[in-house]
Amino acid sequence: MAILLTVLKVIGIILLVILGLVLLIVSIVLFCPIRYGIEGNLYDTGTWAKANVRFLIVKALGGYDKDDGLDYKIKILGFQVYPKKDTDEPKEEEEEDLLEFPEYDDELDDSDLVSHADSTSETVQVNETESTSLPAEPEHKPEPPVTSSDTSESEVQEEPKETLDDKLYKLSESLEKKLDENQRKINDTQKKIDHIMQFLDRDYVQRTIKRILKIVKILLKTIKPKKSKGYIHFGLNSPADTGDMLGKISAFYPLYGKWLNINPDFDYKVIEGDLNIKGRIRLYHVAFPVLWMIIGRDFRRTYKLAKKI
């Protein structure tokens, strides 16, 4: 009995340790921030952009340069893991001989080589005599005379020409088929629209949509940069186009007014600027609302109904 209790005690300790490790990993993932940064520069002297994302021991880097192009890498504990560096030196390719010489047997004497040459010349002469002795074939063979039965058969095999009525009948059939297919597609889309409208009219579906919109709002607030600074100097083809674009951009002034400085140029056509954005994302802001929504009854009912559409 004591041995059984000891075994159960050990198993319980192991399970608690595993559970503690799982909770520790989940807590680290949820509460440790994901840091990101974006930098960019657009001037005549040079155009480049850089982006980096860091989470614990993992760091992802990406960059673009007008001269060098796109570059990206992933590092763990400072060591690059993707793409892997090529450490192997390229092997020197062996030069292939352009001329191939026949291999001769060292045991053959000069007399054997002479006899071999004589035998080959004799075979060539025999082949030439045989080819000259054959009778020449006539260039053109006489064609057999055409009989009346052949002409009658060819006349019988000719297919009758298609009349105008047949063409119109085939055209009408193809048009009817296309119209039927289009009508079928319209009916199917109308049924889907009706199902979607009935789906949106349900109370629990509307409550689920409201929760999803709240989660999206929280996500956007979490992703919002903490430190940002930017400058844009632009001018279009004409002062009217520049003023029109400035009016459209000004509609979003509450989103960028505190950190982005826009300087329009009504005299010259130009676009230049720089950007520097830094922020962090904490997953627990979104994870707990999403988990609470998934556990709820309204989401399960909404999901089951959505699968039937």
Side-chain angles (χ1 to χ4, degrees):
M1 188 68 181
I3 297 173
L4 180 61
L5 291 175
T6 305
V7 171
L8 293 175
K9 184 179 179 180
V10 172
I11 293 173
I13 293 171
I14 293 171
L15 291 176
L16 288 175
V17 170
I18 294 172
L19 182 60
L21 290 174
V22 171
L23 291 175
L24 179 62
I25 293 171
V26 172
S27 300
I28 290 172
V29 172
L30 291 178
F31 292 97
C32 286
I34 302 173
R35 302 180 183 274
Y36 67 90
I38 301 173
E39 296 181 35
N41 195 343
L42 178 62
Y43 287 100
D44 295 335
T45 56
T47 300
W48 56 268
K50 296 179 181 178
N52 64 84
V53 180
R54 291 175 294 168
F55 180 67
L56 296 177
I57 60 175
V58 182
K59 187 176 182 180
L61 302 171
Y64 171 78
D65 194 293
K66 187 177 180 180
D67 299 327
D68 299 334
L70 183 65
D71 186 21
Y72 56 91
K73 60 186 73 174
I74 298 174
K75 293 183 178 181
I76 297 178
L77 290 175
F79 297 98
Q80 183 174 333
V81 295
Y82 183 83
K84 295 182 179 179
K85 294 182 179 180
D86 297 331
T87 55
D88 298 335
E89 296 180 356
K91 296 181 180 180
E92 296 180 356
E93 296 181 356
E94 297 180 357
E95 296 181 356
E96 297 181 356
D97 295 334
L98 298 177
L99 298 177
E100 295 181 357
F101 297 96
E103 296 180 355
Y104 296 100
D105 193 357
D106 296 336
E107 296 179 357
L108 293 175
D109 297 334
D110 294 338
S111 60
D112 295 334
L113 295 173
V114 172
S115 63
H116 180 68
D118 295 338
S119 62
T120 53
S121 61
E122 289 177 359
T123 54
V124 170
Q125 291 177 359
V126 170
N127 291 330
E128 289 178 354
T129 54
E130 289 178 356
S131 61
T132 53
S133 63
L134 293 174
E137 295 181 357
E139 295 180 357
H140 300 285
K141 294 181 180 180
E143 296 180 356
V146 180
T147 58
S148 59
S149 60
D150 296 335
T151 56
S152 61
E153 289 178 359
S154 62
E155 291 176 358
V156 171
Q157 291 177 358
E158 291 181 357
E159 296 180 356
K161 294 182 179 180
E162 192 175 8
T163 60
L164 181 60
D165 295 336
D166 296 335
K167 292 180 180 179
L168 292 174
Y169 179 74
K170 290 181 179 180
L171 181 61
S172 63
E173 284 185 347
S174 62
L175 289 174
E176 287 179 359
K177 289 181 180 179
K178 290 181 179 180
L179 290 173
D180 292 338
E181 290 178 359
N182 293 331
Q183 187 64 36
R184 193 180 301 109
K185 290 179 181 179
I186 292 170
N187 293 333
D188 293 338
T189 54
Q190 187 64 38
K191 288 180 181 179
K192 288 182 180 180
I193 292 171
D194 294 338
H195 291 163
I196 292 171
M197 296 303 295
Q198 294 176 5
F199 172 76
L200 296 175
D201 288 338
R202 304 295 175 90
D203 295 336
Y204 55 87
V205 174
Q206 294 178 1
R207 289 194 295 268
T208 303
I209 292 173
K210 288 180 180 179
R211 289 182 180 177
I212 292 173
L213 293 176
K214 287 181 180 179
I215 292 171
V216 171
K217 188 176 179 180
I218 294 170
L219 179 62
L220 294 176
K221 187 177 179 180
T222 305
I223 296 174
K224 185 179 178 181
K226 305 302 177 184
K227 296 180 180 180
S228 53
K229 184 179 179 181
Y231 168 76
I232 295 177
H233 177 212
F234 78 96
L236 301 180
N237 295 324
S238 64
D241 294 338
T242 304
D244 188 18
M245 181 58 68
L246 182 62
K248 293 177 180 178
I249 295 173
S250 300
F252 301 95
Y253 182 80
L255 299 176
Y256 67 83
K258 294 181 179 179
W259 60 275
L260 182 62
N261 184 14
I262 298 177
N263 183 16
D265 194 330
F266 296 96
D267 297 328
Y268 299 99
K269 182 180 179 181
V270 62
I271 178 168
E272 58 186 12
D274 52 44
L275 185 68
N276 190 350
I277 295 174
K278 293 181 180 179
R280 61 179 181 268
I281 303 171
R282 297 186 185 273
L283 296 179
Y284 74 89
H285 289 295
V286 182
F288 290 117
V290 170
L291 182 62
W292 185 258
M293 182 187 67
I294 292 173
I295 294 173
R297 182 183 178 188
D298 292 339
F299 179 80
R300 294 198 302 270
R301 294 176 66 186
T302 303
Y303 179 72
K304 290 179 181 179
L305 187 62
K307 289 171 64 177
K308 296 179 180 178
I309 297 177

